[in-house]
Coordinates of all heavy atoms in Angstrom, one line a residue:
G1 N 0.8 -1.2 0.0 CA 0.0 0.0 0.0 C 0.9 1.2 0.0 O 2.1 1.1 -0.1
R9 N 4.0 13.5 0.6 CA 5.0 12.5 0.2 C 4.3 11.1 0.2 O 3.6 10.8 1.2 CB 6.2 12.5 1.1 CG 7.3 11.6 0.7 CD 8.5 11.8 1.6 NE 9.6 11.0 1.2 CZ 10.6 10.7 1.9 NH1 10.8 11.3 3.1 NH2 11.6 9.9 1.5
I11 N 4.7 7.2 0.6 CA 5.6 6.2 1.2 C 5.0 4.8 1.1 O 3.9 4.5 1.5 CB 5.8 6.5 2.7 CG1 6.2 7.9 3.0 CG2 6.8 5.5 3.3 CD1 7.5 8.3 2.4
F12 N 5.7 3.9 0.4 CA 5.3 2.6 0.2 C 5.4 1.7 1.4 O 6.2 2.0 2.3 CB 6.2 1.9 -0.8 CG 5.9 0.5 -1.1 CD1 4.9 0.0 -1.9 CD2 6.8 -0.5 -0.5 CE1 4.6 -1.3 -2.0 CE2 6.5 -1.9 -0.6 CZ 5.4 -2.3 -1.4
A15 N 2.0 -4.9 3.6 CA 1.0 -5.3 4.6 C 1.5 -6.0 5.8 O 1.0 -5.9 6.9 CB -0.1 -6.1 3.9
G16 N 2.7 -6.7 5.6 CA 3.3 -7.4 6.7 C 3.9 -6.5 7.8 O 4.3 -6.9 8.9
G20 N -1.2 -4.6 14.7 CA -2.5 -4.4 15.4 C -3.7 -4.2 14.5 O -4.9 -3.9 14.9
F23 N -4.7 -5.2 6.7 CA -4.7 -4.3 5.6 C -6.2 -4.0 5.2 O -6.6 -2.9 5.0 CB -3.9 -4.9 4.4 CG -4.0 -4.0 3.2 CD1 -3.1 -2.9 3.2 CD2 -4.8 -4.2 2.2 CE1 -3.1 -2.0 2.1 CE2 -4.8 -3.3 1.1 CZ -4.0 -2.2 1.1
D25 N -8.7 -4.0 7.0 CA -9.5 -3.2 8.0 C -9.2 -1.8 8.0 O -9.8 -1.0 8.7 CB -9.2 -3.9 9.3 CG -9.8 -5.3 9.5 OD1 -10.8 -5.6 8.8 OD2 -9.3 -6.1 10.3
L26 N -8.2 -1.3 7.2 CA -7.9 0.1 7.2 C -8.8 0.8 6.1 O -9.1 0.2 5.1 CB -6.4 0.3 6.7 CG -5.4 -0.1 7.8 CD1 -4.0 0.0 7.1 CD2 -5.5 0.9 9.0
A27 N -9.1 2.0 6.4 CA -9.9 2.8 5.5 C -9.0 3.8 4.9 O -8.1 4.4 5.5 CB -11.1 3.4 6.2
E30 N -7.5 7.0 6.7 CA -7.3 6.7 8.2 C -5.9 7.2 8.7 O -4.9 6.9 7.9 CB -7.5 5.3 8.4 CG -7.5 4.9 9.9 CD -8.0 3.5 10.2 OE1 -8.6 2.9 9.3 OE2 -7.7 3.1 11.3
V32 N -2.5 7.0 10.6 CA -1.6 6.0 11.1 C -0.3 6.6 11.6 O 0.1 7.8 11.3 CB -1.3 5.0 10.1 CG1 -2.5 4.2 9.6 CG2 -0.6 5.5 8.8
T33 N 0.5 5.8 12.4 CA 1.9 6.2 12.8 C 2.7 5.1 12.2 O 2.3 4.0 12.0 CB 2.0 6.3 14.3 OG1 1.8 5.0 14.8 CG2 1.1 7.4 14.9
L36 N 9.8 5.5 9.4 CA 10.3 5.8 8.0 C 11.6 5.1 7.9 O 12.5 5.5 8.6 CB 10.3 7.2 7.7 CG 10.8 7.5 6.2 CD1 9.8 7.0 5.2 CD2 10.8 9.1 6.1
V41 N 18.6 1.7 -1.9 CA 18.4 0.8 -3.1 C 16.9 0.8 -3.5 O 16.7 1.1 -4.6 CB 18.8 -0.6 -2.7 CG1 18.5 -1.5 -3.9 CG2 20.3 -0.7 -2.4
S42 N 16.0 0.6 -2.6 CA 14.6 0.4 -3.0 C 13.8 1.7 -2.8 O 12.6 1.8 -3.1 CB 14.0 -0.8 -2.2 OG 14.0 -0.5 -0.9
G43 N 14.3 2.7 -2.0 CA 13.6 3.9 -1.8 C 13.0 3.9 -0.4 O 13.1 2.9 0.3
R45 N 10.4 3.5 2.7 CA 9.2 2.6 3.0 C 8.9 2.8 4.4 O 9.7 3.2 5.3 CB 9.5 1.2 2.6 CG 10.5 0.5 3.5 CD 10.5 -1.0 3.1 NE 11.4 -1.7 3.9 CZ 11.0 -2.3 5.0 NH1 9.9 -2.3 5.5 NH2 12.0 -2.9 5.7
A47 N 7.5 1.2 8.1 CA 7.6 0.0 8.9 C 6.9 0.3 10.2 O 6.7 1.4 10.6 CB 9.0 -0.4 9.1
F48 N 6.5 -0.8 10.9 CA 5.9 -0.6 12.3 C 4.7 0.3 12.2 O 4.5 1.2 13.0 CB 6.9 -0.2 13.3 CG 8.1 -0.9 13.4 CD1 9.3 -0.4 12.9 CD2 8.2 -2.2 13.9 CE1 10.5 -1.2 12.9 CE2 9.3 -3.0 13.9 CZ 10.5 -2.4 13.4
I49 N 3.8 0.0 11.2 CA 2.6 0.8 11.0 C 1.5 0.5 11.9 O 1.1 -0.7 12.0 CB 2.2 0.7 9.5 CG1 3.3 1.0 8.6 CG2 1.0 1.6 9.2 CD1 3.2 0.3 7.2
A53 N -3.8 6.5 17.8 CA -4.5 6.3 19.0 C -6.0 6.7 19.0 O -6.8 6.1 19.7 CB -3.8 7.1 20.1
R55 N -8.1 6.0 16.8 CA -9.0 5.0 16.2 C -9.8 4.3 17.2 O -11.0 4.0 16.9 CB -8.1 4.0 15.5 CG -8.8 3.0 14.7 CD -7.9 2.1 13.9 NE -8.4 1.6 12.7 CZ -8.8 0.3 12.5 NH1 -8.5 -0.6 13.5 NH2 -9.2 -0.1 11.4
V61 N -8.8 10.7 12.2 CA -8.3 11.9 12.5 C -7.9 12.7 11.2 O -7.0 12.3 10.5 CB -6.9 11.9 13.4 CG1 -6.4 13.2 13.7 CG2 -7.2 11.1 14.7
P62 N -8.7 13.7 10.9 CA -8.6 14.2 9.5 C -7.2 14.9 9.2 O -6.8 14.9 8.1 CB -9.7 15.3 9.5 CG -10.3 15.4 10.8 CD -9.8 14.3 11.7
D63 N -6.5 15.3 10.2 CA -5.2 16.0 9.9 C -4.0 15.1 10.1 O -2.9 15.5 10.0 CB -5.1 17.2 10.8 CG -5.0 16.9 12.3 OD1 -5.4 15.7 12.6 OD2 -4.5 17.7 13.1
T65 N -1.4 11.6 9.3 CA -0.8 10.9 8.2 C -1.8 9.8 7.8 O -2.4 9.1 8.7 CB 0.5 10.3 8.6 OG1 1.4 11.4 8.9 CG2 1.2 9.6 7.4

Side-chain angles (χ1 to χ4, degrees):
R9 185 175 182 193
I11 309 295
F12 175 78
F23 182 79
D25 293 334
L26 290 172
E30 185 167 345
V32 297
T33 61
L36 180 62
V41 175
S42 62
R45 72 177 180 89
F48 308 107
I49 306 154
R55 185 178 209 248
V61 177
D63 63 342
T65 301

